[in-house]
Amino acid sequence: NGASLIFEGDCLFKNCSCYYISGGLCAWCITSGKLIKVAGLIEFDNCSSIEGSGGAAFFGLYDESTLEINKIICKECKAGQGGGVNMQLGDSPHLIIKNQADFIRCESSRFAGGGLYIVCDEQDCDIQFLGVMNFIDCSASRGGGLVITSFGNTQIIMSNQCIFQNCYSFDGNGGGILFDFYGHPFQVQITGNIIFEDCSCSGNGGGMYIYSNLQGQIQITGEMEFIDCIGSLGGGISIGSIFKIILVISNSCTFKNCQGYLGGGMYMTLSNIDSDIQITGELSFDNCSSNQGGGLFLSTSGSQLSFTNIIQFKDCSSQDSGGGLYASCIDEGTI
């Protein structure tokens, strides 16, 4: 309270554990303008929180405080929630991961975020992922790799390269990434490339799941690739909204060997008259399969979806309807 915490050199936490919050490092920053900074490399190896949050680390940010991380590596870390790192963001915080973040074989045994779990409890959260991020063999009940849950105005910028490999959600949505937005507007900008490989979930979005119950904007200008991903609604990616959402996909999005019950590659359901989905980049579905919509499943009620570039379906199949594409459009919806 009123101070800054700075790690200037490299720091290693190995075989550390606790029962409740943070097996390795627990740090709070609660005063306006204050700072937690990792200037070098901070590494957590085999750290655990038996019943609580943050197997490796727990960070709490409030009142316009800042957490800046240069490099972080979490290996073999476990917790009830946030197997690697758990972050709790309050009013107007700034979170910046600048260079590198690796989460390897991290596990959330009971709740969300196998690698990294972030909850935004209040207003004006600023989250920036600027460096390379790798989530390898991570698992959780929901969101096997990365989870961001927001209850306030939130801005997320992902300008880095992200790789999600063999991550899975064993009891919910988002094998690799889970984004949940509740009650307040949000903005997501993905300008870096993201690869999902061998990711799966028991729920929706084997690679990535995005849900919103209030207005928001999502801009995806980086390339996205989904390989061998499996989910129920959307083997690769699932997007759902019951309120106004503006989604723009302006770069290539590729799905290979993905499987789902509805939408082998992509599942999208929208139910608000003000929603506007613009896909100006190329979509490619290769050897994807499902019960309906082997490659792509679309359902719109009063919303607008537009495709202005190439959509390619190759060797896709469904057991029921729409080997490549299934589309349902009702209540003045437009495709």
Side-chain angles (χ1 to χ4, degrees):
N1 187 353
S4 295
L5 172 64
I6 299 175
F7 296 89
E8 290 190 347
D10 296 345
C11 191
L12 171 64
F13 296 82
K14 187 172 183 179
N15 300 329
C16 300
S17 65
C18 73
Y19 186 80
Y20 187 46
I21 296 181
S22 180
L25 167 67
C26 182
W28 295 81
C29 201
I30 59 176
T31 302
S32 176
K34 296 307 176 182
L35 172 71
I36 301 174
K37 182 177 181 179
V38 178
L41 166 65
I42 190 166
E43 182 174 355
F44 302 88
D45 187 352
N46 193 36
C47 295
S48 62
S49 172
I50 297 171
E51 290 292 334
S53 302
F58 180 97
F59 295 99
L61 302 179
Y62 289 87
D63 295 335
E64 300 182 4
S65 56
T66 298
L67 171 60
E68 183 179 306
I69 298 175
N70 181 41
K71 293 182 180 180
I72 183 169
I73 297 175
C74 301
K75 297 187 295 185
E76 310 279 359
C77 295
K78 297 180 181 179
Q81 179 165 280
V85 176
N86 189 308
M87 298 183 181
Q88 184 172 327
L89 308 184
D91 188 33
S92 303
H94 304 280
L95 166 62
I96 304 169
I97 298 180
K98 296 179 64 176
N99 195 330
Q100 177 185 351
D102 291 345
F103 300 88
I104 302 169
R105 293 182 295 278
C106 294
E107 177 186 350
S108 173
S109 60
R110 298 177 60 191
F111 300 109
L116 174 59
Y117 176 80
I118 301 172
V119 58
C120 305
D121 287 328
E122 298 183 35
Q123 300 300 315
D124 300 323
C125 290
D126 174 34
I127 300 171
Q128 300 181 45
F129 300 136
L130 308 180
V132 176
M133 300 183 75
N134 296 301
F135 295 81
I136 310 297
D137 299 328
C138 294
S139 62
S141 175
R142 300 184 300 113
L146 166 65
V147 173
I148 299 178
T149 299
S150 174
F151 300 96
N153 297 336
T154 300
Q155 174 182 273
I156 301 170
I157 297 175
M158 301 178 70
S159 62
N160 52 342
Q161 175 180 295
C162 291
I163 295 176
F164 295 83
Q165 188 175 72
N166 196 34
C167 295
Y168 66 96
S169 165
F170 52 80
D171 194 30
N173 303 323
I177 293 179
L178 170 62
F179 288 163
D180 278 331
F181 301 99
Y182 299 100
H184 291 273
F186 67 92
Q187 188 174 48
V188 178
Q189 299 178 40
I190 300 176
T191 61
N193 299 335
I194 304 181
I195 298 173
F196 301 87
E197 184 174 1
D198 291 314
C199 293
S200 62
C201 69
S202 62
N204 306 330
M208 183 176 189
Y209 176 78
I210 301 174
Y211 173 79
S212 167
N213 73 350
L214 202 66
Q215 67 185 30
Q217 298 183 23
I218 304 171
Q219 294 183 321
I220 301 175
T221 59
E223 295 181 2
M224 301 186 73
E225 188 171 4
F226 300 84
I227 305 169
D228 297 320
C229 294
I230 300 173
S232 179
L233 305 184
I237 185 171
S238 178
I239 301 172
S241 175
I242 59 174
F243 207 80
K244 177 182 178 181
I245 185 172
I246 298 174
L247 169 65
V248 178
I249 299 177
S250 60
N251 209 325
S252 65
C253 197
T254 303
F255 302 85
K256 297 180 181 178
N257 307 322
C258 294
Q259 302 175 43
Y261 179 72
L262 299 179
M266 175 185 284
Y267 174 91
M268 195 180 303
T269 177
L270 306 164
S271 57
N272 185 272
I273 194 169
D274 292 321
S275 289
D276 183 15
I277 311 300
Q278 302 173 31
I279 299 180
T280 61
E282 294 185 7
L283 297 182
S284 175
F285 302 87
D286 187 352
N287 195 36
C288 296
S289 61
S290 74
N291 189 58
Q292 285 187 321
L296 173 59
F297 182 99
L298 300 174
S299 175
T300 172
S301 174
S303 303
Q304 300 181 52
L305 291 87
S306 64
F307 301 86
T308 60
N309 210 322
I310 296 172
I311 307 177
Q312 178 175 295
F313 301 91
K314 181 180 179 182
D315 298 326
C316 295
S317 63
S318 75
Q319 297 180 6
D320 190 340
S321 307
L325 167 65
Y326 179 92
S328 172
C329 189
I330 61 174
D331 291 340
E332 300 183 359
T334 304
I335 298 177

